[in-house]
Amino acid sequence: MKKIFSILTLAALLFSVESFAQLDRSKAPEPGPAPKVEMGSYEKFTLKNGLKVIVVENSKRPVVTASLNFYRDPVLEGDKAGLLSIYGDLWSKGTKKRSAEEINEEVDFIGASFGTSSTSIYFYSLSKYTDKMMQIMTDVLYHPAFPKAEMDKLKTQYLSFIESSKTDPDAIKGNMEAAVIYGPEHPYGDIVTESTINNITVDDCKAYYKKYIMPNQAILIFVGDITLDQAKALSEKYFGKWKMGKPVEVSYPEVSKPEGINVVFSAKDGAVQSSIEMAYPIDLKPGAEDLFAVSIANYIYGGGGFSAKLMKNLREDKGYTYGAYSSVSPDLLSGSFSAAGEVNANATDSSFIEMAYEMRNMLKGDYDDMDFKRAKAAYAGSFSRSLEQPSTIADYAYTIERYGLPEDYFTTYLQRLDALTREEVQAAVEKYFDPDNAYYFVVGDPSVLEGLAKLDSDGEIVELDYKGEPVVRKEISGDVTAESVIESYLNYMGGRSLIENIKSFSTEEELEFQGVKQITTITTEPGKSLKMTQSAMGNTVMADYNALTGTAIISSPQGTQFLTKPEEVEPFLPQTYPVLEAVIGQFGITAELEGMESVDGTDAYKVKFTQNGMSSYTFYDAATGAKIKETVTAEGMTQETVYSNYQKTSYGLMFPMKRVVSVMGTKLTTKVTKVEVK
Amino acid sequence: MKKIFVALFALLPALSFAKGVEFVEYDLDNGLHVILSQDHTTPNVVVSVMYHVGSKNEDPQLTGFAHFFEHLMFEGTENIPRHTYDKYVSDAGGELNANTDMDRTYYFELLPSNYLELGLWLESERMLHPRIEEIGVKTQKDVVCQEMGQTRDNVPYGRLFTEILGNSFKVHPYYHDVLGSEEHVRNASIEDFKAFHDMFYVPDNAVLTICGDFDLEDAKAMVSKYFGDIPSGNGEFRRPDPNMEPRRTAPVKDTVYDNIQLPMIVNTYRAPAYGSDDMYALSVFSAVLSAGNTSRFYKNIVDEQLALQASAEIIPMEHPGVFAVLGIPNMNVKVEDLEKAIDEQLYGLLENGMTDEEFQKVMNKLEVAVASSNSTIEEQAMNLALAYTYLRNTNAVNEDWEKYSRLTKEDVINVAKKYIVPQEKVSIYFLPKTEDAKAAETAE
């Protein structure tokens, strides 16, 4: 049979070789008749205690997924932000019978996956291990131990993670949105910080468990190699005796829309690209009647990848970005609209202008019928493709159950999509697209602020730090000048005359970084000489500068260098002065008062020093006069130095015994171990 | 038509009862290899072309070309105007994309099944006569250089892969990354791009794969219609010698200062080529070290708070490539201490072997992984194309479990000993860029 079959095919091939000459490549081939899309089925039933169960049978692969999903109103975490995440991770870290390690071992040995979140417990395993996994799942459900030691481990991990996300534009943007759009009274306004993580206790987890974990607020879903009868038997066996609870209902303040354009900025010094997002809340619930219409509108605008207006404009035409996308998200509490991308720093403002421009085109109805048809086709196509995975059927069944949608919501999906008119889409555009009232979130280099100020309705940009907290700039009285700030700093240090009388000054200090200890000793004679020794890991670098001869010698394991050129030697001279502020006039350094800012809660004057076109910023405590912080930006990166632990030396000079230098979230602490002044 | 293969999955041992991927394959006269695999779960198809060209095939003076072509190939063809290639697909409700690595470039369309012919027209147009002209080249140069900034230079650990390759290879062109040099891409001429195209984007360097809901005979006729008349290349392909990279005789250390918050340690060793028997053995070895949260790394390093993450993996490469061990130390843990802990686990396993239970556990995990693989037509198409392109054995997609289940725990250790050798260790420290760290560096 096979042979005949292939001879026939060969004949068909020869025939099509004949037809090459007639092939018209200039036109796209027409599609065949549209295929019928059929959706796989699911079964559902409810236990006496209110637990709903959904079953999607599919025996193509010998695997089963089971998930127990809890639904509840969103929880405001406030000063314990991060509780839900920690709870979710901690839930599976031990029961009264099994330690975290034993759960791991049992699950891992059979190659299964198992996990918990604050609203679910799930597993995925070969179907031959379904019963075994149900035992573990329900042990965690009924007898969690919430061990303190495991919680402490989780906290350490979360703190590391927070540290590493301090400069991550997406994390910063998330915090900015939480703070600005939702605020502290709304659960979506929760911001996780070191202090909120440290506030969380085991009792908080136990309280959460008691309040929210109950069968009448849960949906159990089985997908895969399991029959309805097996699912029923397993459900009764493992969940039949689970006691009902009392659901908690909470209401939250309405989320209001912005008025005008509000630019919200967070600095990432030296960033070559800005992470930008235009966003505002919308009232759009899951299953809303115009959800299809607004989704199609969003697809045409920025949701449709390469064929969307945003991508065509910002990527293909302007080359501002690698990708820009928009999204419309329905939600029971507060839906949202957003358009975002990573754009070239110098195109930050232009990118917003183009985003708004394309939005106005949508409002004018300036899109082709083809755009509309394409969006519908895309939704139909992706719906049809999604049905390949049995888990999709379960997701759809869950959505119907969770949001109380009609049973035929997904089986009539393609019909309703097909019936959608352009007028309905235009009505949704008018209802949800609002280029004149939006937040413009930007994480980028401060050099982009000038262009952004022109876009802001009142010209005043809100500046936030990475935690979404305002960067405060206070008014200062007219008689404060850069000179008076410097003078009060000198007074704090012991007075100008005391400083000018210093004959020699030496310090010894210690820095530890990644296990490497570095010891530095410096001895200077102001205006005359500087000797520095720096040693780490058994190696030593020495510098010896003499102002009278105008020479410097630097010796290191790599060799010895003699510096005699003025441009190489001159930078040493200012460093011979232990308090540079006392002599800035000598070195062509100019000082300018920039204003007042809060440095970790302390009001401080900010003074900008400029020398040879390079600038640095120094912050002086407004109350005491002490120097508390210094920032320098070079090669696109900002280095910050925080001074603390001022102590009076026997000579009478005040000196900061601790310096913490941070760059890109890494902190290095230098401790001064000895100071000698003559 | 040369051969018809039908997978005989029933012969495979032990694995419960998942079906394998069935397919037929043959060559056209112009050398195009064709793989057809039917799956009628939903009325959709995947049309894909894998070109056997990646960054390793580039002229070392003109790097980034394979990836650049991935972008350029969306600029249209003689019959498809600029900005419309993707529209044909999206108008049909489909999706398209492409990706590039060191060894191959892959283009694909997901389409409703009644648009199969459209997919073939699009891919054949692209193979026959893509637009390589000033305007498209300029636009894509901007986009590609933007991508370099976004994914490599401006992202924490974005240079990880670049540094791994640069340190692990000195002779084999694997030494440069896929994105390549911005300067090379910026300065390249239209002629440079045309020459690269003519060498590699030809039917005798490509595999056409169709997966999904279609009629076999219709599909064959359509393939001939659209691809049969595309001329072959001149048969000369720039292909580096798989074994040109000499084995190292001394370990190497390097420190990279990057815009990151937490340091990262990367230790690399030579790894066997994709699909080789040794690769299966070394995969089991790396799974004992780092698959799942009862693995040796997890229990002895992550759980002990020495690291946020620690993993061992083989970077899948056509030629002998890289076995990489990565660790991100927890706060207050010294990089040297983490590296020592990683080495203890790695060499401890090598010296003392694994327990029966550990071996069984890893085999159980692999059984799940194999049972879960190829679950979509998109994944099937990609794996079929890869198996043919790298191994000239398309049925390798169905042979994973057989390869694993033949192994004993002794085999695993014996194979690992061939690759995990102290004198071949490349140790890279990624440290946060700070002024004081630079000072510490000077002091070293």
Side-chain angles (χ1 to χ4, degrees), chain A residues 9 13 20 25 32 60-61 105 108-109 124 164 167 273 322 344 374 377 384-385 388-389 539 639, chain B residues 41 44 87 91 93 114 121 146 217 224 226 261 294 299 364-365 371-374 376-377 435 443-444:
Chain A
T9 322
L13 267 176
F20 282 166
R25 285 191 162 273
K60 266 193 193 168
R61 290 159 195 285
E105 297 278 357
D108 217 41
F109 185 74
Y124 173 76
S164 70
T167 52
Q273 292 184 322
Y322 178 61
N344 285 340
R374 179 179 306 124
S384 160
R385 284 191 296 279
E388 185 175 15
Q389 293 288 4
N539 292 318
Q639 172 172 310
Chain B
T41 310
N44 293 286
K87 277 207 171 93
D91 287 356
N114 55 327
W121 175 67
Q146 183 85 19
E217 295 316 308
S224 304
Y226 287 98
Q261 293 78 52
T294 65
K299 278 208 299 205
N364 287 345
K365 280 175 181 296
S372 310
S373 67
N374 293 318
T376 62
I377 52 175
E435 288 307 310
E444 270 170 25

Side-chain angles (χ1 to χ4, degrees), chain B residues 161-212:
Chain B
F161 211 59
T162 311
E163 297 293 344
I164 288 181
L165 292 173
N167 276 291
S168 304
F169 298 94
K170 292 297 165 206
V171 182
H172 193 290
Y174 276 154
Y175 73 82
H176 63 80
D177 69 0
V178 175
L179 290 176
S181 148
E182 177 160 354
E183 201 194 330
H184 292 175
V185 171
R186 280 274 177 222
N187 296 337
S189 68
I190 297 281
E191 285 64 40
D192 292 333
F193 289 124
K194 284 195 167 141
F196 192 77
H197 173 267
D198 293 346
M199 180 179 284
F200 293 112
Y201 296 80
V202 289
D204 39 333
N205 193 43
V207 185
L208 169 71
T209 307
I210 307 174
C211 282

